[in-house]
Structures are given as structure tokens and as C-alpha cells.
Amino acid sequence: MPRVVLVSNRVAVPNRDGAARAGGLEVVLRSFLKRNQGVWFGWSGRTVPKSEETVRQLNHSGVTYITTDISRTDFQEFYNGFANRMLWPILHYRLDLVEFSTRDMAGYLRVNEMFADRLQNLVRPDDVIWVHDYHFLPLAKALRDRGVENKIGFFLHIPFPPPDLLTALPKHERIILSLCHYDLVGFQTDNDADNLADYLTNESRMPSRDRRTFIAGQRTMRIGVFPVGVEMAEFERLARRASKLAAVREVVTSLSGRSMLIGVDRLDYSKGIGMRMRAFEQFLMNYPRWRGAVTYLQITPRSRSDIREYADMERRIDETVGRVNGHFGEAAWTPIRYVNRSHSRTALAGLYRSSRAALVTPLRDGMNLVAKEYVAAQDPEDPGVLILSRFAGAAVECQAALLVNPYDQGAMAAAMDQALSMSLEERQARHGSLVKVLSENDIKHWGTRFIATLTRPTPVASVPRAVAAAGGSYFAAAE
């Protein structure tokens, strides 16, 4: 395999103890680099005055970590602005939360140009460049403009909506068609891939041989589906050990024999946390036999608190927790335990294994690795039950879970009752089916499969020359 240069907004740089953060994207990319040493390039997490931007390099266990600072203005316009007030809501089907600003879009493009400047100085001719997530949709174009002809792949970790939503983005052609400068664009599900194909076919009239290979001027771009997984066997071993940790045992002991439902989500409106809590409230109303017998633990680290929508959402969730606990709680029982502190991956693994059911009910999610980690963490002799939103990418593989519509609070409440009442035999059967499917898509094979597809020779396009020229002219006009 050639040297791979990974590019993502955040980089899991090891600290002095060799540890690193455990966010979903970071876990996935770290797993890839564990088996395929290379370079990981991205933002340092620091905002500084423009004149003080610094590029840093660290070599650790055969991996080169390179990070760059960005200015406070760039952070506000690129990250808080266009990426998270425009792209994030559109890609999660939330047009009602979109806030477009020409200034923020200019900042987004400017930061991508800055990243391209940094990258062209460190990329070798034989390197493969693998760009990750919505922060860098136009990065390949910026690199091509600088003469970089390396193989460049892109993977979107979050959903990709249909054309009707994409075209709500002002100047959408400038952003979406820039994906055609990549050699391979990867998605979590067939639905996401089909949505890009629909956009290129119907909105842009771009010629295609098979709706997976598109001709954009002199360049051919392929679309692929590469669902992200987890290290199933390794995570089960981690959970088995973690369930014996004092911190995990303390939580279990504090339940006093009650069953535990668990939810673990970053504080974000796409996760449906507020609706889930209201569904739990309805569960206690509709199924009173569970009052005092089950505790719902929701672990939700705060995120993007300086964005107004997130602060408003946090306030509403706090109000719901207070209402439920005030109405149903007793001196010896708190129905909802709501924690805003991050927990280590080890502690979470132990808590997953100790829970009777997991509530993974996003309103829209690219994949959702919590669902897969919960399955991997279970004791196969006495497994818990996964309650999963049908709108999570993981639902494609996790058909043996209890699939729910997160907008239907009555159905969510019924699923909680079903999970807590489920026989051991049914729990074992569902868990066995889930493990079988998820083991076939273990994360060990994910990155290797993407890079192999990216470096495979592009098939010769079999579309008429006039049709290809028409697609190329539209592509050029959009730029």
C-alpha cells in the first residue's frame, strides 16, 4: 500500500501518555493508521491571530501527525459559520436551521485553500490523499488548482441528502460539484450514494456509465459505499474487562438491582435526545409497572455551546429532565440520570455491557458507531437489546435491532417495554444475528478496501464524446 495522507478537521494527536481522544471519526482513522502507517494532517484545535499560525509535526509509533493553527476569523466563518450553520443542517435534512452567509462561505473556501497550500508542501508524488468529512468538500479542487495529480479520495461520515435539499444551498454547484475533483467519493450507505448520483444526473446532467462512474470534463469520478464498522472482537474483550472496573461497578451497584437503559450522544440536534427523553416520559406513563424498576442514563458531552441553536437545545433538554424527574422520581429513585461529562471509551464499554438496552435514536445519522459498539460490548450469554432509529445508517446492517421511528414517541415507548420484557432466548437470537452481520464489516477491512478501490485503475468511460463534452461544459461553468 502506498503512503496515505489522511486529512480531517481534527487530529487525534497522542498526548505524553500515548492516549488520544475517542471521537467516532478519530477512532476510525486511528484504527486505520494502526495497520497502515502514514500521515495525519488537520487542524490543531488552536485559534490564534493570523500572524501566529503555526504548523507542528509529531512522529509517534510510525505515524506522522501534522497540525496547523487557524485564525479566529477563519474559525468563526469556516467552522462555526458555513460548516456548522449551513452544511451540517442541510446534510442532516434540517433546512429549518440553515443560516447562509456569503462571508462564511468565503471563509470556508479560504480555509480549504489554506489547507491545500499546506498539503502541497508535504505530499510526495506517490502518496494517496484521503480527505474526510464535510469540512473539506472543495479541498480536492484546491489541490488540483495547485497541480496536485495524486489519487485523492473523499469519505463523508455524515448523511448526504437528496437533490431537493442540496439545491437549497445557495451556489450549491460551487460546493457540490467540487466533489468531482476527487477520484473516489465514499459514503456510508447506498441511499447516500444514490442521492449524489441523482444530483449529478438530474441537476447537473453529468454523464455516467452506471450511476457510480461520472465524467466531469477530463476527469472521471467514482462513487462507492464503505460503511464504517468497529473492531468487534477487540471491543467485546475491552467491555468484558471494563465491566469489572470500580467506576463501572459503582454505577451498577447504585442501581440497586434496577435495569438500566443507556444513551450516549454528543449534544447535537441530529441525535434526537429531547424526543428520546419525552418518549421515556411517555414510557413511564404508559407502562407504570416499570416505575422504580428502570433507570435511564444519558451521557451527553456538550458540543458547540457557542452556537445559539445548541445552547437553546441544551436548555430544553435540561427542562425535560427536570420535569420527568420531578413528576416520577422518588426519594430513592431518579428516573433519568443526565451527565454532561465525557467518559473514556473503556468506561463506556463497561457501561454498555451493564445495560439492559441502548437507546440510539438519532433523527438522522451517517452511521452511528455507538449502536455497533453497544452490540460488540454485550455478553453473548446475557445480551442487552439495541433500540435503533431507522434513520441511522447503522439500521441498514442492524435489522435484528428494534428499529423505531424517533418521531413516534408512542412507538419508542413500546420498544422500551419490549426490550425490557424480552426473553433471554430472543435477546440471544437478535444479538447473534447482529454480531454475524457486523463482524463481516469489521473496521479492520474498511480503510484497506477504500484505498484499494481508490488506487484501482479507473475504468474507461463508455459514454458518447458529445455527451461527455456536455457534462464537462456544465462542470466548467459551475466553477
Side-chain angles (χ1 to χ4, degrees):
M1 181 179 289
R3 188 179 80 152
V4 178
V5 178
L6 299 177
V7 183
S8 64
N9 182 54
R10 296 299 296 267
V11 178
V13 178
N15 60 26
R16 293 177 181 176
D17 300 323
R21 293 186 303 274
L25 181 146
E26 294 163 337
V27 167
V28 166
L29 297 189
R30 195 162 62 242
S31 174
F32 173 78
L33 287 174
K34 184 168 64 176
R35 298 172 179 83
N36 307 278
Q37 296 176 349
V39 177
W40 194 349
F41 174 70
W43 177 40
S44 66
R46 289 163 42 94
T47 57
V48 298
K50 191 73 176 176
S51 60
E52 298 178 16
E53 290 180 350
T54 303
V55 177
R56 299 173 183 80
Q57 179 171 326
L58 169 69
N59 297 311
H60 185 274
S61 299
V63 177
T64 301
Y65 299 87
I66 303 176
T67 59
T68 180
D69 304 332
I70 64 174
S71 73
R72 297 185 179 98
T73 298
D74 284 346
F75 175 78
Q76 186 60 39
E77 296 175 3
F78 157 75
Y79 185 78
N80 276 350
F82 194 78
N84 287 313
R85 281 203 163 108
M86 191 75 205
L87 288 180
W88 181 268
I90 279 185
L91 295 177
H92 283 87
Y93 295 58
R94 291 298 304 271
L95 292 184
D96 58 311
L97 297 177
V98 166
E99 293 184 24
F100 178 75
S101 160
T102 301
R103 181 192 63 191
D104 289 346
M105 183 175 181
Y108 177 79
L109 295 170
R110 183 177 64 248
V111 170
N112 273 266
E113 296 283 338
M114 181 267 281
F115 265 67
D117 286 337
R118 304 278 200 271
L119 273 170
Q120 70 171 342
N121 295 325
L122 63 90
V123 172
R124 302 171 186 167
D126 295 331
D127 285 346
V128 169
I129 304 170
W130 191 6
V131 180
H132 290 264
D133 236 359
Y134 63 105
H135 309 88
F136 299 115
L137 298 175
L139 184 57
K141 180 183 183 304
L143 288 167
R144 301 300 187 200
D145 289 344
R146 287 159 176 74
V148 176
E149 289 301 321
N150 300 60
K151 288 283 188 179
I152 309 178
F154 176 83
F155 186 81
L156 186 67
H157 291 259
I158 65 176
F160 194 82
D164 284 352
L165 297 183
L166 290 171
T167 52
L169 172 65
K171 302 179 182 178
H172 56 89
E173 303 93 341
R174 177 110 185 244
I175 300 299
I176 305 304
L177 288 183
S178 63
L179 288 171
C180 295
H181 288 275
Y182 290 98
D183 297 286
L184 175 64
V185 175
F187 294 99
Q188 301 272 23
T189 69
D190 283 305
N191 184 63
D192 297 324
D194 288 341
N195 286 339
L196 177 58
D198 287 344
Y199 177 92
L200 296 177
T201 301
N202 301 325
E203 182 67 27
S204 305
R205 300 289 187 264
M206 192 163 289
S208 171
R209 183 185 59 183
D210 53 8
R211 285 179 52 85
R212 287 295 183 266
T213 305
F214 285 83
I215 314 304
Q218 302 302 310
R219 186 168 297 283
T220 299
M221 183 269 286
R222 286 176 289 170
I223 299 173
V225 177
F226 307 88
V228 171
V230 298
E231 297 175 321
M232 294 294 291
E234 290 85 345
F235 201 82
E236 193 277 333
R237 286 195 291 270
L238 175 65
R240 196 184 329 136
R241 294 194 302 270
S243 63
K244 298 181 176 65
L245 292 176
V248 175
R249 299 313 307 165
E250 184 178 0
V251 173
V252 173
T253 300
S254 72
L255 295 171
S256 301
R258 299 181 180 94
S259 297
M260 183 166 71
L261 303 177
I262 191 169
V264 177
D265 311 83
R266 183 172 55 83
L267 186 63
D268 189 274
Y269 50 75
S270 68
K271 302 302 183 183
I273 301 168
M275 288 185 176
R276 183 188 311 161
M277 288 184 169
R278 291 192 293 276
F280 181 71
E281 181 179 24
Q282 188 160 347
F283 161 74
L284 294 177
M285 293 172 60
N286 294 357
Y287 306 95
R289 68 181 179 276
W290 292 112
R291 296 177 192 173
V294 61
T295 295
Y296 167 25
L297 171 63
Q298 177 65 47
I299 298 174
T300 303
R302 290 186 174 89
S303 170
R304 304 169 186 163
S305 298
D306 50 348
I307 297 178
R308 187 186 66 254
E309 293 83 359
Y310 288 79
D312 292 343
M313 175 182 54
E314 182 177 355
R315 176 183 50 77
R316 291 193 299 270
I317 291 174
D318 288 343
E319 291 172 354
T320 301
V321 173
R323 184 180 69 248
V324 174
N325 286 342
H327 182 75
F328 293 101
E330 301 169 0
W333 171 60
T334 302
I336 300 177
R337 297 182 182 180
Y338 181 51
V339 182
N340 290 129
R341 184 173 58 82
S342 296
H343 287 60
S344 70
R345 196 161 182 246
T346 301
L348 290 176
L351 292 171
Y352 291 151
R353 194 176 180 93
S354 304
S355 302
R356 177 53 64 209
L359 300 172
V360 185
T361 58
L363 306 182
R364 185 70 60 172
D365 226 336
M367 177 53 64
N368 198 298
L369 294 184
V370 169
K372 296 186 175 184
E373 288 183 343
Y374 178 79
V375 172
Q378 297 309 297
D379 177 358
E381 298 301 318
D382 185 22
V385 179
L386 174 63
I387 301 173
L388 178 63
S389 167
R390 60 178 295 179
F391 303 123
V396 175
E397 298 164 90
C398 296
Q399 292 295 302
L402 295 182
L403 298 182
V404 296
N405 175 0
Y407 295 93
D408 187 341
Q409 293 177 21
M412 290 257 286
M416 296 178 203
D417 175 63
Q418 182 181 354
L420 292 168
S421 306
M422 190 177 295
S423 69
L424 175 61
E425 292 74 19
E426 183 177 354
R427 286 190 280 120
Q428 289 175 332
R430 287 177 179 272
H431 179 257
S433 296
L434 290 169
V435 169
K436 182 177 185 299
V437 172
L438 297 183
S439 295
E440 292 171 356
N441 191 39
D442 194 288
I443 190 60
K444 292 177 182 177
H445 316 301
W446 173 72
T448 303
R449 190 161 64 89
F450 185 97
I451 297 300
T453 305
L454 174 60
T455 55
R456 194 163 57 229
T458 304
V460 177
S462 55
V463 297
R465 182 175 301 176
V467 175
S473 63
Y474 182 91
F475 181 61
E479 295 184 351

